[in-house]
């Protein structure tokens, strides 16, 4: 899990300095490294969706956001607060 977190954090640094293509690759690696049921997976996917949006891949980003929302609703219900 910590390796996946490191990939995600590096993706954040790359995103923040404007290197969105490399950030995408690091977020995808982070997602691949973390178990599907882990709660951080949604955060990593959210970060990836943001980079996809920045890259102009709006349909892909929107589809991913819808998947993240559906998974969160299925897990926590509509009344869950962050």
């Amino acid at each position: 899990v910590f390796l996946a977190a490191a990939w995600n954090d590096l993706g954040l640094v790359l995103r923040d300095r404007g290197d969105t293509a490399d950030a995408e690759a690091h977020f995808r690696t982070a997602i691949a490294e973390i178990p599907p049921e882990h709660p951080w997976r949604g955060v990593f996917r959210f970060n990836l969706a943001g980079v996809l949006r920045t890259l102009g891949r709006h349909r892909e980003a929107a589809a991913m956001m819808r998947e993240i929302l559906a998974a969160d609703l299925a897990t926590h219900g509509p009344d869950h607060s962050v």
Side-chain angles (χ1 to χ4, degrees), residues 16-27:
D16 290 349
R17 73 176 203 195
D19 193 351
T20 51
D22 278 347
E24 176 187 358
H26 285 77
F27 290 140

Side-chain angles (χ1 to χ4, degrees), residues 2-22:
F2 292 107
L3 180 61
W7 283 110
N8 181 72
D9 289 351
L10 183 53
L12 292 172
V13 170
L14 293 167
R15 180 203 63 194
D16 290 349
R17 73 176 203 195
D19 193 351
T20 51
D22 278 347

Side-chain angles (χ1 to χ4, degrees), residues 41-55:
R41 185 178 177 88
V43 174
F44 296 174
R45 295 184 76 222
F46 182 82
N47 291 337
L48 174 58
V51 165
L52 294 174
R53 184 186 69 224
T54 300
L55 290 168

Side-chain angles (χ1 to χ4, degrees), residues 36-39 42 67-81:
E37 67 280 355
H38 197 283
E67 291 170 7
I68 294 165
L69 289 169
D72 189 71
L73 284 171
T75 301
H76 302 290
D79 298 324
H80 175 72
S81 64

